[in-house]
Amino acid sequence: MNIKKSITLRTFKKYQPRKIAKFVRAFFNGRIFIVGLGRLRVIEGKVAAYQHQKNDKNFLVTVSEINRIINELSQPKVSSL
């Protein structure tokens, strides 16, 4: 019998999108919990809402904001010489 447990990687006491994005980039799969908002999945270094959350606009805005910051952090920095 193989039971797959879903483990919460980290609980964030405040919604700080930049801090959350840095954490998500480091961990590829799992889930996070944000106090006051709820839990979110981390899939391949991106945040995704659970199926039952996809109708809630707050979750979708949160997911897109965190993923946008992840994309910004992933871009190579261009130095101006």
Side-chain angles (χ1 to χ4, degrees), residues 18-36:
R18 192 161 194 83
K19 186 176 185 180
I20 295 168
K22 285 181 181 180
F23 178 82
V24 169
R25 268 185 66 211
F27 292 92
F28 236 55
N29 292 305
R31 69 180 181 185
I32 59 173
F33 183 84
I34 303 169
V35 174

Side-chain angles (χ1 to χ4, degrees), residues 40-52:
L40 296 166
R41 295 185 297 171
V42 177
I43 302 171
E44 296 182 6
K46 300 285 184 184
V47 176
Y50 284 94
Q51 190 64 38
H52 68 277

Side-chain angles (χ1 to χ4, degrees), residues 8-26:
T8 299
L9 293 171
R10 173 120 186 236
T11 298
F12 293 92
K13 293 182 180 177
K14 284 185 181 179
Y15 175 63
Q16 298 171 316
R18 192 161 194 83
K19 186 176 185 180
I20 295 168
K22 285 181 181 180
F23 178 82
V24 169
R25 268 185 66 211

